[in-house]
Amino acid sequence: MGASVNGFRRLSTASVIRGGKGWSLLGARCSGCEAPIYPVLTVCPHCGGRDFVALPLPTIGTLYCHSVVHMGPRGVDTPYTVGYVDFSEGLRVFGRIEMEAGAVQTGQQLELRVKAANKRASQFIYFFAAPGEVPRQVSS
Ligand SMILES: [Zn+2]
C-alpha cells in the first residue's frame, strides 16, 4: 500500500487514516479470497494469501457487546466502557466507548472518532461515541 490510497492519506499509525470524508480505520481486502481484514496482517487468515488492497472501513458501526472497566491501567480514569463494534464489511473492532456508562446500549449505532495521542499529533488513537454527539474529554 502506498502513501495515498483511494484518496486517503496515511498518517504515522497504520490503522487510522484521514480522507476527504474524515477519519477512518484502515483495513485491507485480500486479493485472493476478497475477505476484509482488520487490523492489517501480512498473511490472510482465511486463504493464506499475501496480496491486499487498502480498505477504509465505514465510520458507523453497531455495538455487538460492551463492558465497563472499573480497574484500568495506572493513570487512566475509571470507570470507562469498552466494546466490540460490528461494521458492514463484516469486521468486528474492539475499542473504547466514550459515553456515560449507563447510556451505552448493545445494538446501538456508534461512530468512529479519532484524536491525537500526543501534543505533536504524531500518533492518533481511535474510540467510539454516539453519532453526532460530542464526547466528553478523553483522558490519555
Ligand atoms: Zn484471503
Side-chain angles (χ1 to χ4, degrees), residues 10-14 16 23 115-125:
R10 291 186 67 185
L11 300 174
S12 55
T13 55
V16 177
W23 292 99
K115 72 164 201 147
N118 55 33
K119 287 194 170 112
R120 291 184 301 129
S122 61
Q123 289 198 318
F124 294 82
I125 59 172

Side-chain angles (χ1 to χ4, degrees), residues 81 97-105 133 136:
T81 304
I97 301 168
E98 290 299 326
M99 293 172 59
E100 293 301 325
V104 179
Q105 294 196 334
E133 190 174 284
R136 63 186 166 84

